[in-house]
């Protein structure tokens, strides 16, 4: 077998010396191993992931550094509704407030909401999804009953009721309300996956080996759920930022703090659309759209790890599977 | 030294079908003894209760009635004696692709049971034991850093055997250890198991549906049919002189070159005798 394949390759390319193939083999395996190790922890760097990460990174950087550089976003001046450029990078509001400064603070506010909701959702959904499915029995029944109840409670009306009930809402309260209404879906997904992992042989083997139950959950089961958890968190962050923007736009958001939603709310109240003050509502709207798109792109890359069938299914990828024009010509010549 | 004895063990499962529920008797009054240094083969078709017996022994299930005795005493399910039991009885799973966690390295799989068995071991001592275990199943030391997906089926099954040996057990339950492996490497894995058994004086419960390997590797054979043991005896006795009709069916189903050769040698004679009856054995 070995000799025949070597014979044919040497027949087609006679000058190739035998030594070079032998030398190439071990170096190829040596190069391959660290790559596989890295690939297990991080998704492969594709165009999608690169674009998503850089847009999200820029926005996060703006939210972190921006508020330190700009002036007070609430300062009222007598130059209302000036367009961009006249001493203010993005112009001013009706009451002469610096929109760029507001945008920096709003970015920070929205990101805080996203991160807090992401973290709380991660905790709640992995507690109710993972622990319930792993322990089983009546705990599982109770947990999935609670999850199902939370799932059918319509999210937005509940959020509106809670936020209209509390008069002075901090940004943390809004985040908590959003988190409580949004963890149930991912808890169900996690429960399903945990049920399938729980009965796999390696978990049984760990039980037979005498591992403690919490250790089986944390060391044997949890690492296999990391891609799933990551995509759930990213989704929760998108949901939180959009949800908060929606709430604030309805005037039910956090009072006295800046987020993209409150900026849009004030722009709407200040009749920016009718007055043609695009520089007031366009930047926060654009940032919401861009950040959502960037996180979605990141999520698609994570999805491709969870479900490899999604990979290489774009038209460009599939075209690459076929023969090149030269190959097709060569094939045609051979067959004719 | 551990002697395991199953005495009239019954395992029922409840099958729910809407509001009705029926009972399925997976294991029906099975009794046998596992001793160090002896291999007992458990033969039977799919669904005959082989794996349920393995699960009962591994404490993954509890018997509905009857009892499992460890050194003459009832099986401990909790406390320090249960922990000691879990170390003394280990298992090799059927599917080498499912029994290793894809997230962890081979070294992790072997180091955990070593650490659980010797809590006082230092990091270096654990690493030495891991390399020693790899050597014993004829794998190179550099396998410790690899992930399961980089290994072939036979290599994975060797790792699974090494993991089962890590707590220094007295009894090993091998649940169809080669049925998922390539035919060409089955014998290697089985020979390895036999060698290790001799070296460690293990009691082995070899679960299989392959009569030929059962006869070759075990001292006793039990034939399981629909949950109950229909035949139990020394390996050669069961194969060469099957009493129960299911065992006879199994023995006939196994490929026997002599039988075929005999048929080819005297085709005319057999045809003249008529009836298409072929001489057995």
């Amino acid at each position: 077998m070995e000799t025949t394949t070597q014979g044919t390759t040497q027949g087609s390319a006679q000058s190739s010396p035998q030594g070079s193939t032998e030398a190439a083999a071990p170096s190829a395996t040596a190069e391959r191993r660290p790559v596989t190790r890295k690939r297990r922890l991080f998704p492969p760097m594709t165009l999608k992931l690169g674009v998503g990460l850089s847009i999200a990174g820029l926005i996060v950087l703006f939210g972190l550094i921006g508020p330190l550089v700009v002036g007070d976003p609430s300062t009222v001046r007598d130059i209302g509704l000036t367009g961009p450029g006249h001493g203010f990078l993005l112009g001013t509001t009706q009451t002469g407030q610096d929109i760029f400064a507001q945008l920096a603070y709003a970015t920070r506010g929205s990101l805080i909401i996203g991160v807090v909701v992401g973290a709380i959702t991660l905790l709640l959904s992995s507690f109710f999804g993972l622990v319930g499915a792993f322990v089983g029995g009546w705990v599982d029944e109770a947990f999935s009953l609670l999850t199902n109840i939370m799932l059918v409670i319509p999210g937005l009306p509940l959020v509106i009721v809670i936020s209209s009930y509390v008069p002075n809402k901090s940004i943390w309260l809004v985040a908590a309300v959003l988190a409580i209404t949004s963890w149930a879906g991912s808890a169900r997904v996690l429960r399903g996956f945990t049920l399938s992992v729980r009965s796999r042989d390696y978990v049984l083997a760990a039980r037979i080996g005498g591992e403690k139950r919490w250790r089986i959950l944390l060391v044997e089961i949890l690492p296999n759920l990391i891609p799933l958890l990551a995509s759930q968190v990213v989704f929760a962050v998108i949901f939180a930022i959009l949800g908060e923007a929606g709430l604030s736009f309805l005037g039910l958001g956090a009072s006295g703090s800046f987020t993209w939603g409150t900026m849009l709310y004030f722009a709407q109240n200040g009749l920016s659309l009718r007055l043609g003050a695009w520089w007031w509502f366009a930047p926060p709207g654009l940032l919401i759209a861009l950040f959502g798109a960037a996180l979605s792109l990141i999520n698609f890359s994570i999805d491709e790890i969870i479900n490899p069938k999604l990979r290489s299914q774009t038209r460009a990828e599939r075209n690459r599977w076929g023969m090149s024009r030269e190959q097709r010509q060569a094939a045609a010549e051979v067959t004719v | 030294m551990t002697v395991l004895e199953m005495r009239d063990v019954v395992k029922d499962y409840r099958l729910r079908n809407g509001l009705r529920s029926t009972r399925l008797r997976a294991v029906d009054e099975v009794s046998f003894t596992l001793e160090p240094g002896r291999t007992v083969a458990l033969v039977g078709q799919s669904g005959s209760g082989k794996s349920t017996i393995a699960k009962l022994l591994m404490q993954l299930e509890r018997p509905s009635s009857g009892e499992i005795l460890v050194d003459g005493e009832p099986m401990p399910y909790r406390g320090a004696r249960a922990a000691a039991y879990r170390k003394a009885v280990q298992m090799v799973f059927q599917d080498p692709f499912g029994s290793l966690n894809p997230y962890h390295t081979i070294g992790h799989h072997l180091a955990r049971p070593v650490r659980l068995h010797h809590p006082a071991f230092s990091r270096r001592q654990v690493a030495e034991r891991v390399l020693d275990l790899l050597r014993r199943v004829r794998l190179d030391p550099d396998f410790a850093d690899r992930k399961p997906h980089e290994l072939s089926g036979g290599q994975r099954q060797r790792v699974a055997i090494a993991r089962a040996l890590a707590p220094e057990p007295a009894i090993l339950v091998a649940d169809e250890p080669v049925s998922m492996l390539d035919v060409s490497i089955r014998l290697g894995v089985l020979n390895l198991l036999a060698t290790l058994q001799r070296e460690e004086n293990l009691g082995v419960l070899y679960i299989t549906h392959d009569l030929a390997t059962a006869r070759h590797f075990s001292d006793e054979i039990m034939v399981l049919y629909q949950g109950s043991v229909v035949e139990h005896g020394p390996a050669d006795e069961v194969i060469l002189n099957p009493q129960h009709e299911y065992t006879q069916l199994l023995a006939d189903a196994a490929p026997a070159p002599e039988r075929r050769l005999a048929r080819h040698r005297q085709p005319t004679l057999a045809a003249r005798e008529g009836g298409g009856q072929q001489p057995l054995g």
Side-chain angles (χ1 to χ4, degrees):
Chain A
M1 194 65 193
E2 190 74 358
T3 50
T4 52
T5 50
Q6 267 191 357
T8 49
T9 49
Q10 284 198 340
S12 57
Q14 279 182 345
S15 60
S16 82
Q18 198 151 356
S20 70
T21 52
E22 277 173 10
S27 69
T29 52
E31 274 167 27
R32 201 188 41 165
R33 290 215 13 222
V35 171
T36 55
R37 193 114 321 138
K38 215 190 268 174
R39 194 177 291 160
R40 290 217 36 98
L41 271 181
F42 299 104
M45 191 47 111
T46 53
L47 187 66
K48 250 187 256 178
L49 185 64
V51 171
L53 277 180
S54 43
I55 294 177
L58 281 177
I59 292 176
V60 169
L61 217 60
F62 179 55
L64 285 177
I65 298 172
L68 306 175
V69 202
V70 298
D72 186 4
S74 307
T75 313
V76 176
R77 299 178 190 84
D78 55 356
I79 38 166
L81 282 187
T82 44
H86 304 281
F88 297 103
L89 201 56
L90 286 174
T92 60
T93 68
Q94 211 169 21
T95 49
Q97 291 157 325
D98 184 359
I99 287 182
F100 186 71
Q102 283 199 347
L103 195 66
Y105 277 90
T107 305
R108 186 165 77 176
S110 282
L111 289 181
I112 285 176
I113 292 220
V115 169
V116 170
V117 173
I120 299 178
T121 306
L122 174 68
L123 280 179
L124 284 176
S125 64
S126 49
F127 179 74
F128 285 102
L130 274 174
V131 176
F134 181 62
V135 173
W138 66 268
V139 179
D140 186 28
E141 295 287 336
F143 278 16
S144 47
L145 182 68
L146 183 70
T147 311
N148 288 343
I149 290 173
M150 292 308 292
L151 204 61
V152 291
I153 288 179
L156 202 61
L158 181 72
V159 171
I160 291 173
V161 167
I162 295 177
S163 9
S164 55
Y165 198 69
V166 185
N168 253 329
K169 299 172 286 282
S170 69
I171 203 168
W172 307 103
L173 180 82
V174 174
V177 167
L178 284 168
I180 286 168
T181 52
S182 68
W183 60 268
S186 55
R188 274 201 73 92
V189 175
L190 286 176
R191 175 172 178 269
F193 207 80
T194 311
L195 281 179
S196 106
V197 173
R198 183 179 80 135
S199 53
R200 287 191 193 163
D201 277 353
Y202 55 82
V203 176
L204 295 185
R207 271 172 73 186
I208 287 169
E211 294 271 21
K212 294 199 172 55
R213 301 194 79 180
W214 62 267
R215 223 198 121 87
I216 294 178
L217 184 62
L218 291 184
V219 178
E220 304 291 334
I221 293 181
L222 193 62
N224 289 301
L225 300 178
I226 284 177
L228 201 61
L229 284 172
S231 90
Q232 300 283 350
V233 165
V234 172
F235 176 73
V237 171
I238 300 176
F239 171 84
I241 288 175
L242 289 180
E244 192 278 335
L247 273 183
S248 297
F249 187 71
L250 297 175
L252 298 167
S255 38
S257 60
F258 287 103
T259 62
W260 290 329
T262 55
M263 278 189 80
L264 288 175
Y265 170 69
F266 285 121
Q268 150 92 0
N269 270 10
L271 302 176
S272 62
L273 202 60
R274 196 182 300 168
L275 298 174
W278 56 267
W279 58 89
W280 197 356
F281 60 83
L286 208 61
L287 278 192
I288 290 177
L290 274 178
F291 197 65
L295 290 188
S296 297
L297 283 174
I298 295 173
N299 222 351
F300 293 154
S301 321
I302 301 174
D303 274 347
E304 287 176 359
I305 302 183
I306 302 172
N307 185 0
K309 279 185 191 164
L310 293 174
R311 210 179 294 161
S312 309
Q313 286 300 312
T314 60
R315 185 170 293 231
E317 287 283 343
R318 257 177 300 173
N319 285 345
R320 219 175 296 160
W321 293 350
M323 291 187 287
S324 69
R325 186 174 294 164
E326 293 81 26
Q327 284 171 320
R328 231 174 286 142
Q329 260 171 8
E333 277 167 24
V334 170
T335 46
V336 170
Chain B
M1 287 294 130
T2 310
V3 179
L4 256 184
E5 187 184 351
M6 278 189 126
R7 203 176 275 173
D8 300 330
V9 170
V10 174
K11 177 69 192 176
D12 288 332
Y13 285 107
R14 273 182 65 197
L15 299 179
R16 267 195 224 151
N17 183 12
L19 289 175
R20 285 182 307 164
S21 76
T22 50
R23 275 193 318 175
L24 175 85
R25 184 149 286 193
V27 175
D28 191 6
E29 303 213 344
V30 169
S31 309
F32 65 90
T33 312
L34 272 177
E35 291 165 350
R38 283 182 75 78
T39 303
V40 177
L42 197 54
V43 186
Q45 62 189 9
S46 313
S48 60
K50 300 179 307 241
S51 292
T52 309
I53 289 180
K55 280 182 186 163
L56 286 167
L57 288 178
M58 300 321 297
Q59 302 193 335
L60 296 173
E61 301 278 0
R62 294 200 186 190
S64 306
S65 75
E67 53 188 351
I68 306 173
L69 301 177
V70 186
D71 289 333
E73 287 175 42
M75 163 107 84
Y77 281 99
R78 45 181 69 220
R81 287 185 53 234
Y85 174 82
R86 280 191 208 115
K87 278 170 195 162
V89 180
Q90 284 294 316
M91 178 163 175
V92 177
F93 287 87
Q94 175 179 11
D95 179 6
F97 295 87
S99 69
L100 300 178
N101 194 336
Y103 190 81
H104 291 303
T105 61
I106 303 305
H108 173 94
H109 282 96
L110 301 181
R112 280 308 300 170
V114 169
R115 260 198 208 115
L116 285 168
H117 189 52
H118 301 283
F121 264 22
S122 70
R123 190 178 286 258
R124 173 182 278 184
Q125 278 172 306
V126 170
E128 273 170 18
R129 281 303 299 275
V130 168
L131 294 186
D132 180 48
L133 284 166
L134 283 174
R135 258 196 302 279
R136 268 156 69 193
V137 294
R138 279 63 163 173
L139 289 176
D140 289 338
D142 69 306
F143 274 83
D145 298 327
R146 296 205 196 168
K147 291 267 173 75
H149 71 95
E150 298 172 53
L151 270 59
S152 72
Q155 289 167 338
R156 283 163 185 244
Q157 200 59 304
R158 282 161 199 262
V159 172
I161 292 171
R163 173 176 62 186
L165 292 177
E168 296 160 24
I171 283 177
L172 194 68
V173 176
D175 186 1
E176 306 199 23
V178 292
S179 68
M180 304 274 275
L181 298 183
D182 207 281
V183 177
S184 55
I185 51 176
R186 284 183 184 177
L187 192 67
V189 171
L190 282 174
N191 278 332
L192 176 71
L193 263 178
T195 316
L196 291 169
Q197 188 219 1
R198 247 175 280 128
E199 284 171 9
E200 320 256 328
N201 198 29
L202 289 169
V204 175
L205 180 68
Y206 173 48
I207 299 176
T208 181
H209 46 229
D210 181 2
L211 275 183
T213 57
R215 180 186 173 191
H216 188 78
F217 285 100
S218 46
D219 305 305
E220 287 173 45
I221 290 183
M222 282 189 298
V223 181
L224 209 59
Y225 182 63
Q226 292 186 346
S228 50
V229 175
V230 294
E231 193 144 356
H232 186 181
D236 286 348
E237 187 70 22
V238 170
I239 299 295
L240 297 178
N241 191 13
Q243 300 298 314
H244 193 269
E245 57 181 306
Y246 177 65
T247 321
Q248 289 166 1
L249 198 73
L250 272 182
D252 284 351
E258 298 90 4
R259 199 163 62 210
R260 239 187 94 197
L261 280 177
R263 195 188 309 160
H264 277 280
R265 220 169 277 146
Q266 306 172 308
T268 47
L269 215 152
R272 217 170 287 153
E273 277 170 14
Q277 289 276 338
Q278 306 295 333
L280 283 174

